[in-house]
Amino acid sequence: MAKVKMTSRILSQECLAPDIYSLWLEAGEIAAQAKPGQFISVYCGDSGRILPRPISICEIDREKGALRIVYRIAGKGTAEFAGMEAGETLDILGPLGNGFPMEEIEGKRVFLMGGGIGIPPMVQTAKEAKAAEVTVIAGYRNSDVFLKDELEASARLMIATEDGSLGTKGNVLDAVRENGLQGDVIFACGPTPMLRAIKEYALEHEMTCYISMEEKMACGIGACLACVCKSKEVDHHSNVKNKRICKDGPVFLSTEVEL
């Protein structure tokens, strides 16, 4: 799969919830190759911000040659993106990383578990998981939910909120337990404490579990070793136990990495 760096035209931009934005990009070459769970690097126009921002792919429209990213304003770079409008352009690189192994879920009961900004990649994953029995469990801080309609269009949706304002009060695992859900495979994306708990749950219930790790990145292509995580294996680059999240991941078998 060849990475493509291109100048992409913004097709639309909207605010979905406080500090959460949805951006559709014209990106035919990348859309043709992209898979659920992969990401793109988005470059700032400000020359003072050299490093690109890695953002998960939310939706892929291969027919129209478009990609959707949904991101949270987390600093000056993403604040710059949020101020842009349709017709403006962004430089992007992708598709990057390894996505979810869709071939492993055929005929199985699958939990797609997303927390916060780990929810967006579950939209395309749910759309392409037609051969499985899919339940999406989405965790939010409060009732400011986003992507609810898109998720419900492809799968059964369970919601958990930290403050109890919608769905189950608590986290995604609380929603699983409250609703008596049972599954065979987990695909998860979210903050490390959530992934750590999901990994333990999967081991306890003998479920296959793949996790997509969130991490600050520099190059996004595995050259700089800035985004490493501890692994059960020895990395051939450095003789230490690590994996490059941008290159070897961001999706890993949960038993492959230490959290």
Side-chain angles (χ1 to χ4, degrees):
M1 182 181 295
K3 297 182 290 292
V4 178
K5 186 172 183 181
M6 63 183 296
T7 298
S8 175
R9 183 170 63 92
I10 296 173
L11 299 174
S12 66
Q13 167 120 266
E14 63 176 317
C15 181
L16 302 181
D19 291 334
I20 303 291
Y21 285 79
S22 168
L23 188 66
W24 274 101
L25 295 163
E26 188 176 64
E29 290 182 80
I30 298 177
Q33 302 181 61
K35 298 179 179 179
Q38 291 187 301
F39 68 97
I40 61 173
S41 284
V42 186
Y43 292 80
C44 298
D46 189 327
S47 60
R49 293 188 279 275
I50 300 173
L51 297 177
R53 272 55 178 175
I55 302 177
S56 297
I57 295 171
C58 175
E59 283 192 80
I60 306 165
D61 189 329
R62 298 182 181 91
E63 184 177 337
K64 295 182 179 179
L67 291 175
R68 185 187 190 187
I69 55 175
V70 173
Y71 61 96
R72 174 184 288 126
I73 296 178
K76 292 182 178 179
T78 43
E80 177 186 317
F81 304 154
M84 301 182 75
E85 299 178 350
E88 295 186 75
T89 60
L90 284 166
D91 287 339
I92 61 175
L93 175 69
L96 299 173
N98 296 309
F100 289 110
M102 305 301 290
E103 69 280 357
E104 294 194 19
I105 62 174
E106 184 173 350
K108 296 181 180 178
R109 300 168 298 175
V110 182
F111 294 166
L112 304 184
M113 308 178 81
I117 210 61
I119 294 169
M122 297 307 167
V123 174
Q124 187 66 29
T125 306
K127 287 171 67 175
E128 296 194 24
K130 300 301 184 183
E133 181 186 324
V134 179
T135 302
V136 178
I137 306 101
Y140 302 88
R141 292 175 181 170
N142 50 42
S143 59
D144 291 326
V145 302
F146 51 93
L147 299 174
K148 179 177 179 289
D149 292 343
E150 291 89 334
L151 292 168
E152 285 183 326
S154 299
R156 176 172 60 160
L157 175 64
M158 302 291 177
I159 290 176
T161 51
E162 293 177 11
D163 65 358
S165 55
L166 190 65
T168 298
K169 182 176 182 179
N171 57 38
V172 290
L173 287 176
D174 292 321
V176 170
R177 296 184 180 105
E178 181 176 282
N179 291 282
L181 303 179
Q182 295 185 335
D184 306 303
V185 181
I186 297 173
F187 287 173
C189 183
T192 299
M194 177 189 122
L195 297 181
R196 186 181 297 117
I198 289 173
K199 176 181 177 178
E200 293 174 359
Y201 176 88
L203 288 171
E204 179 185 345
H205 290 81
E206 298 182 340
M207 297 176 69
T208 302
C209 179
Y210 287 88
I211 58 175
S212 179
M213 300 181 69
E214 297 179 346
E215 183 59 65
K216 291 183 178 179
M217 299 178 186
C219 71
I221 58 174
C224 68
L225 300 179
C227 61
V228 297
C229 63
K230 292 181 180 180
S231 169
K232 303 292 185 181
E233 302 174 6
V234 176
D235 188 283
H236 67 278
H237 282 272
S238 56
N239 293 322
V240 296
K241 292 183 177 180
N242 61 32
K243 289 280 187 179
R244 298 160 295 172
I245 292 174
C246 67
K247 179 74 173 180
D248 303 313
V251 176
F252 296 96
L253 187 64
S254 64
T255 52
E256 183 184 0
V257 292
E258 299 177 4
L259 296 170

